[in-house]
Amino acid sequence: MKKHVQIFKNIADLSEYFAALIMSGVQNTPEGRSFSIALSGGSTPKAVFEYLATHFADQIAWDKVQVFWSDERCVPPDSPESNYRMAKESLLDCVPIPAGRIFRIPGEADPATAAAQYTETAHQNLIVSNGVPVFDLLMLGLGEDGHTASIFPNNIHLFHSDHPFEVAEHPQSGQQRITVTGNTINHANVVVFIATGAAKAEMVANVLAKKPGWEQLPAALVNPEAGKLVWLLDEAAAAGL
Ligand code: 6PG
């Protein structure tokens, strides 16, 4: 696994770098295939998505991109909590990506059914290697408690699930989530963490420096076997490195 840590002065520079990752990935995708991206949720990606919508609507061959999600809240797609709705409003409605290439997690469904359905969706629409669906680029965020996607420290066992997607639960709110699991994360060709802001600095340092107790941090278990691991940080989130 090759790990790259890139530190940026601002979200614009970070977004330019992220856009370049997508652009080169799409350009290197063989004719007849699609470039599959799993989007992360939360607030951090929103500014990146908005930047892509503003500056890269015409620069990326969006018709060669397939969009999935790393995780989703178990809410309807029009809920303010929905990761799908956030991505739709900040990016997908602004770029020429065919609706048939957007594969949202059915947050409105029964959670166990949604996890099983999305596992099937991944198997049907992605390359499968050793029984594991392979994302070309999988985005992840970092929680201040070391969670990533919706794998929280108190349910870290989900990281080791044999199922590509599982039902999770937010430790404070109890909100049910559908989350990608560790084996699928670690089979992605490129995994991109995006973390910004001073509040993430301590956890970024804990994860990247594998400080004592790192084994209890889901984000620290991300270790793509053959893929590339990229951390995109702003200076505030990188302050502890
Ligand atoms: C979610 C995300 C979650 C998020 C982190 C960071 O559905 O909320 O998948 O893992 O990436 O909690 O969230 P912020 O970017 O809002 O800090």
Side-chain angles (χ1 to χ4, degrees):
M1 181 267 298
K2 297 182 289 296
K3 178 159 62 178
H4 303 265
V5 179
Q6 302 287 345
I7 301 167
F8 302 92
K9 285 193 177 309
N10 52 53
I11 200 74
D13 291 351
L14 186 155
S15 302
E16 285 282 343
Y17 190 96
F18 183 65
L21 285 177
I22 297 175
M23 200 179 292
S24 66
V26 171
Q27 287 166 350
N28 293 324
T29 297
E31 201 50 47
R33 271 207 54 219
S34 297
F35 183 75
S36 60
I37 303 176
L39 302 179
S40 64
S43 58
T44 303
K46 187 169 186 294
V48 177
F49 294 165
E50 288 167 344
Y51 190 94
L52 290 179
T54 305
H55 300 280
F56 288 88
D58 304 324
Q59 274 71 19
I60 292 174
W62 293 100
D63 60 333
K64 285 198 70 174
V65 174
Q66 283 183 310
V67 171
F68 300 80
W69 275 262
S70 307
D71 70 330
E72 183 56 280
R73 292 79 180 278
C74 293
V75 296
D78 60 354
S79 163
E81 285 278 296
S82 166
N83 289 336
Y84 163 77
R85 175 176 163 181
M86 183 273 282
K88 181 178 188 297
E89 292 176 345
S90 56
L91 175 61
L92 302 178
D93 284 350
C94 312
V95 297
I97 185 165
R101 290 178 177 275
I102 298 173
F103 302 91
R104 72 176 181 86
I105 298 174
E108 70 278 18
D110 161 71
T113 304
Q117 273 179 0
Y118 207 62
T119 292
E120 188 54 28
T121 298
H123 275 277
Q124 285 174 355
N125 294 283
L126 295 171
I127 285 183
V128 177
S129 169
N130 299 322
V132 182
V134 178
F135 289 101
D136 290 308
L137 188 154
L138 189 141
M139 279 182 85
L140 292 173
L142 175 70
E144 292 171 43
D145 61 356
H147 81 259
T148 194
S150 284
I151 306 175
F152 295 88
N154 71 327
N155 61 18
I156 197 166
H157 68 279
L158 290 177
F159 194 93
H160 306 290
S161 167
D162 291 334
H163 302 289
F165 289 88
E166 284 275 15
V167 179
E169 186 175 290
H170 191 285
Q172 278 80 44
S173 68
Q175 182 185 60
Q176 290 196 291
R177 307 273 187 95
I178 307 301
T179 186
V180 67
T181 57
N183 199 26
T184 299
I185 292 171
N186 286 337
H187 274 76
N189 293 330
V190 180
V191 178
V192 182
F193 273 100
I194 298 181
T196 60
K200 302 290 174 75
E202 183 181 357
M203 189 48 71
V204 165
N206 289 346
V207 169
L208 284 178
K210 289 198 184 305
K211 292 192 176 172
W214 68 270
E215 303 87 344
Q216 307 310 315
L217 304 173
L221 302 183
V222 172
N223 181 22
E225 288 155 23
K228 196 164 110 172
L229 177 58
V230 179
W231 279 81
L232 305 184
L233 306 169
D234 67 0
E235 289 175 343
L241 296 181

